[in-house]
Amino acid sequence: MTAKPKVWVARPLFPDVLARLAEHVEVDAEAVERRHTADELRRKLAGVDAAVVGLADRIDEAVLEGHTRLKVVANLGVGFNNLDLDALTRHGILASNTPDVLTESVADFAWALMLAAARRVGASERWLRAGQWPGSHMRFDDWLGLDVHGRTLGILGMGRIGQGIARRAAGFDMNVLYHNRSRLPEMVERECKATLVDKAELLRRSDFLVLVLPFTPENRHAIGAPELARMKPSAVLVNVARGGIVDDAALAAALREGRLGAAGLDVFEGEPQVHPELLMLDNVVLCPHIASASEETRRAMANLAVDNVLAALGFGEMAGKPPTALNPAVLTHRAAHKA
Ligand code: 8YV
């Protein structure tokens, strides 16, 4: 009897999802959430056929070098800037991510941040919890925020999540602008009621600017001091994409000096560290990278990662056809090698 393939799961996952894996493979699942060093990653990956990893796990040449057993790395996230896809492909290792299943939850959350930042939900809640309401003689003109309805929403990066955010804007009677590498098909533009503009116009006209673009070296500090300077001083910036797309120091300065109205951030440069100046400001809503964290969506993400692993290892209905492979050509190469 041949030994079962071995799979390392780098983050604690839902037990029933792990049980699906365990039907076919030997599972080594981390029971505690923690960061792995490159050395730990190298050692763990050397002894397994597949791995399910999180965004904090950087999978690059340094941790893959010399491995012959590893066949698939499934990322728990749609963004995969933690994976060096070229290195994985060079090593003949399939990589996968978790698109689609999180689109609507992340779009919901972008709206949660827009509304919370515009209407000062975080700051007023902190004030209430601090016991400041009784005896404060709250004035009729205290806690004034910015209306969301009827404003101009700008979306930078118009993939599936951006489109989900745009579709929701119809209920708020907003004017929707977007900027993207390529223009959307006309039908999708019509569905989203969104108009393509260049980046400068997007910055200048948006009352709300939501960032949903992938993190690539070119997108680092796509919103820095020069871009912030072009935005309306009342504008609200929302980032549900990746830390590092915004220059957090420049953002903190703009928020502090009243050059920007407010911000809602789910992601940070160097997270889990948050720029200390952001922590001091009341006109920014800060969340710990939870945009996809609804029960259904996190389960769907975990299940999709497991689907990819099982399919890549030749199990189940999708055997040989991992549903969301990032470098499917690896499979063709492998098949050609065997033949
Ligand atoms: C994370 C995300 O995967 O999908 C992404 O790219 O950033 C999130 O959904 C999630 O927070 C788990 O770390």
Side-chain angles (χ1 to χ4, degrees):
M1 210 179 87
T2 52
K4 278 184 174 180
K6 203 167 168 183
V7 179
W8 178 52
V9 182
R11 305 186 65 178
L13 280 192
F14 305 98
D16 52 308
V17 180
L18 290 177
R20 283 188 55 220
L21 264 182
E23 278 174 32
H24 303 279
V25 302
E26 190 186 324
V27 181
D28 170 16
E30 294 296 326
V32 177
E33 190 70 54
R34 63 186 191 83
R35 295 206 148 219
H36 306 103
T37 63
D39 254 1
E40 285 171 321
L41 287 173
R42 193 178 307 118
R43 259 184 281 119
K44 280 290 187 183
L45 296 179
V48 294
D49 301 275
V52 177
V53 301
L55 303 182
D57 302 315
R58 168 101 198 121
I59 310 297
D60 57 12
E61 188 60 46
V63 305
L64 294 174
E65 208 191 334
H67 293 181
T68 50
R69 184 170 168 183
L70 189 63
K71 294 177 195 66
V72 48
V73 170
N75 206 35
L76 286 164
V78 62
F80 53 89
N81 52 299
N82 56 315
L83 306 182
D84 180 339
L85 206 54
D86 290 341
L88 283 154
T89 306
R90 260 197 319 275
H91 284 263
I93 298 165
L94 188 92
S96 67
N97 66 342
T98 60
D100 302 322
V101 292
L102 47 62
T103 300
E104 301 302 330
S105 296
V106 176
D108 284 352
F109 199 78
W111 273 88
L113 288 179
M114 276 168 62
L115 290 161
R119 298 301 306 275
R120 308 178 68 184
V121 173
S124 63
E125 200 212 358
R126 283 191 292 282
W127 182 80
L128 178 151
R129 282 181 188 269
Q132 297 195 56
W133 194 2
S136 69
H137 305 291
M138 193 173 95
R139 290 167 48 109
F140 192 58
D141 60 357
D142 276 342
W143 292 112
L144 303 183
L146 185 74
D147 271 332
V148 179
H149 65 271
R151 302 278 169 154
T152 294
L153 168 62
I155 302 175
L156 187 56
M158 196 62 160
R160 290 158 288 209
I161 297 171
Q163 292 165 34
I165 294 167
R167 282 198 311 274
R168 284 160 174 75
F172 284 77
D173 198 20
M174 291 178 96
N175 174 32
V176 183
L177 307 175
Y178 76 96
H179 181 68
N180 199 40
R181 270 172 310 188
S182 51
R183 186 170 181 173
L184 296 179
E186 247 174 71
M187 210 183 76
V188 181
E189 274 189 350
R190 260 202 308 277
E191 264 169 36
C192 294
K193 296 193 173 58
T195 306
L196 179 71
V197 293
D198 63 27
K199 188 174 168 187
E201 187 173 348
L202 191 79
L203 294 170
R204 184 165 47 77
R205 289 180 57 194
S206 296
D207 296 304
F208 291 82
L209 179 63
V210 183
L211 310 178
V212 218
L213 59 175
F215 187 56
T216 58
E218 305 79 64
N219 288 342
R220 184 171 177 275
H221 290 186
I223 301 294
E227 289 75 19
L228 291 164
R230 291 172 152 190
M231 293 176 68
K232 297 183 186 183
S234 57
V236 176
L237 179 72
V238 167
N239 189 3
V240 287
R242 276 291 177 274
I245 292 176
V246 176
D247 177 343
D248 284 351
L251 173 62
L255 288 167
R256 192 185 55 238
E257 291 160 17
R259 290 184 279 112
L260 192 74
L265 306 174
D266 188 46
V267 287
F268 305 88
E269 255 184 312
E271 65 185 54
Q273 304 304 322
V274 175
H275 195 288
E277 280 193 34
L278 289 173
L279 292 168
M280 308 294 291
L281 293 168
D282 249 354
N283 54 348
V284 55
V285 177
L286 306 168
C287 288
H289 203 146
I290 57 168
S292 66
S294 74
E295 164 93 26
E296 281 142 307
T297 293
R298 283 287 167 92
R299 282 185 168 280
M301 291 167 71
N303 272 310
L304 184 51
V306 163
D307 288 345
N308 277 290
V309 166
L310 291 177
L313 295 178
F315 296 108
E317 284 166 24
M318 288 177 276
K321 296 192 183 68
T324 54
L326 291 165
N327 54 353
V330 160
L331 294 172
T332 331
H333 276 130
R334 246 190 246 159
H337 238 69
K338 269 195 195 162

